[in-house]
Amino acid sequence: MEKPKLIINGKRLDGRDFEELRPIKIQVDVLKRADGSCYLEMGKNKIIAAVYGPREVHPRHLQDPSKAVIRYRYNMAPFSVEERKKPGPDRRSIEISKVSREALEPVIMKELFPRSGIDVFVEVLQADAGTRTACLNAASVALIDAGVMMKGIITSVAVAKVDGHIVLDPMKEEDFYGEADLPVAFLIRNDKIESIALLQMDGKMSVDEVKEGIKLAKKGAMQIYKLQREAIMKKYMEDEEKEEV
Ligand code: CDP
């Protein structure tokens, strides 16, 4: 198929400005059986995250006597994409699970839970590009909901180069037909971006464009962080109200 025009009259195909995120919705504690959970929408992406633990690790030989073992499973539902995705892990989901776990590990205070395991499951119910970033945002909130001790929070968003412009939070058409896609995750501590926890790129950007992209991703991440915080606070306020009754 021929590449469509992605920027028309200075706007993106869905009407967004270059520096605009898709609408985000975050709901905490949506699964009663999980220790922590989160439902998150980022544009047309719909994600469920469930956290179990800290709990006993099975099989036992995976236990670490000095710290908790973190496991992260990213999975796309077969109905989440246009062309049915074959169920089960594939190379892409194994890679996304690995890099996402590595992004989360430094914020989790693993040393506090020796021999135990923390399992993070993220399920993509509907995908529209940026699922790894949306999943990380949901996973971070679910970890906090589970009461896992954290040094900060991971907040993630992608930027892209689209028809020569650097744009925030690309949707599927932009990811597919754009010149480059650059997902980033930040470690935010005390309301400030402290470091980069994940940085990937496919396509081509100049060094200056990458710098510009990271700057834009930082702006986007701070907006997402605010929404993550609000969702967590809302849940705790509701819990307190219930206790008062
Ligand atoms: O989702 P994310 O941007 O993190 O990863 P990607 O590998 O760059 O995939 C971009 C998008 O392609 C996904 O979000 C889906 O919308 C779509 N996709 C698909 O339609 N079928 C697949 N098997 C994998 C991805």
Side-chain angles (χ1 to χ4, degrees):
M1 201 179 130
E2 205 186 314
K3 176 187 169 301
K5 253 187 116 168
L6 298 167
I7 306 286
I8 301 168
N9 296 332
K11 294 269 183 197
R12 297 156 73 179
L13 290 184
D14 56 3
R16 273 186 294 159
D17 290 325
F18 299 161
E19 305 202 347
E20 197 175 334
L21 291 167
R22 291 175 283 185
I24 295 176
K25 183 175 148 186
I26 306 177
Q27 220 177 321
V28 186
D29 194 21
V30 289
L31 303 171
K32 293 301 161 208
R33 209 165 289 153
D35 295 314
S37 58
C38 174
Y39 171 73
L40 183 142
E41 289 180 7
M42 223 170 147
K44 290 188 213 147
N45 291 307
K46 295 185 182 210
I47 313 291
I48 289 262
V51 169
Y52 291 83
R55 63 178 179 181
E56 214 175 301
V57 180
H58 291 287
R60 285 188 149 217
H61 69 264
L62 292 179
Q63 277 186 1
D64 184 329
S66 64
K67 57 183 182 300
V69 174
I70 315 293
R71 289 182 287 199
Y72 188 101
R73 194 191 77 157
Y74 165 100
N75 185 53
M76 261 186 158
F79 52 82
S80 64
V81 285
E82 247 157 73
E83 265 178 48
R84 177 183 176 274
K85 189 206 159 279
K86 204 168 143 240
D90 53 15
R91 277 184 60 171
R92 177 178 170 277
S93 58
I94 292 168
E95 181 229 302
I96 293 178
S97 300
K98 178 180 182 286
V99 294
S100 305
R101 174 177 52 77
E102 286 171 354
L104 284 172
E105 277 197 338
V107 269
I108 299 174
M109 297 170 88
K110 295 181 291 186
E111 310 71 32
L112 297 179
F113 314 105
R115 287 181 212 287
S116 68
I118 298 170
D119 291 308
V120 183
F121 298 93
V122 288
E123 294 287 322
V124 179
L125 306 177
Q126 187 170 285
D128 192 56
T131 57
R132 77 195 62 201
T133 58
C135 285
L136 269 172
N137 294 331
S140 284
V141 171
L143 278 162
I144 294 169
D145 183 39
V148 172
M149 301 288 273
M150 312 260 279
K151 292 175 199 155
I153 188 167
I154 294 292
T155 303
S156 182
V157 71
V159 288
K161 184 175 173 188
V162 169
D163 288 0
H165 299 278
I166 305 299
V167 302
L168 183 63
D169 189 21
M171 53 170 176
K172 177 130 177 272
E173 290 79 358
E174 294 172 330
D175 177 282
F176 203 76
Y177 296 108
E179 295 95 286
D181 175 36
L182 188 142
V184 200
F186 298 100
L187 194 170
I188 301 182
R189 203 203 302 231
N190 297 331
D191 296 335
K192 286 202 181 69
I193 289 181
E194 194 177 277
S195 53
I196 292 179
L198 174 145
L199 181 69
Q200 298 184 291
M201 191 176 105
D202 58 61
K204 194 164 164 251
M205 275 193 202
S206 70
V207 173
D208 284 345
E209 284 166 343
V210 169
K211 283 186 191 156
E212 187 189 334
I214 292 175
K215 224 166 128 188
L216 182 56
K218 277 169 95 171
K219 264 169 95 174
M222 286 313 288
Q223 292 172 43
I224 299 169
Y225 166 66
K226 244 184 103 195
L227 299 173
Q228 286 174 307
R229 266 190 69 137
E230 273 171 26
I232 294 159
M233 296 295 277
K234 183 165 178 266
K235 192 232 157 179
Y236 283 99
M237 302 286 256
E238 282 168 3
D239 283 355
E240 258 178 40
E241 274 167 26
K242 270 186 219 151
E243 273 167 29
E244 277 169 19
V245 175

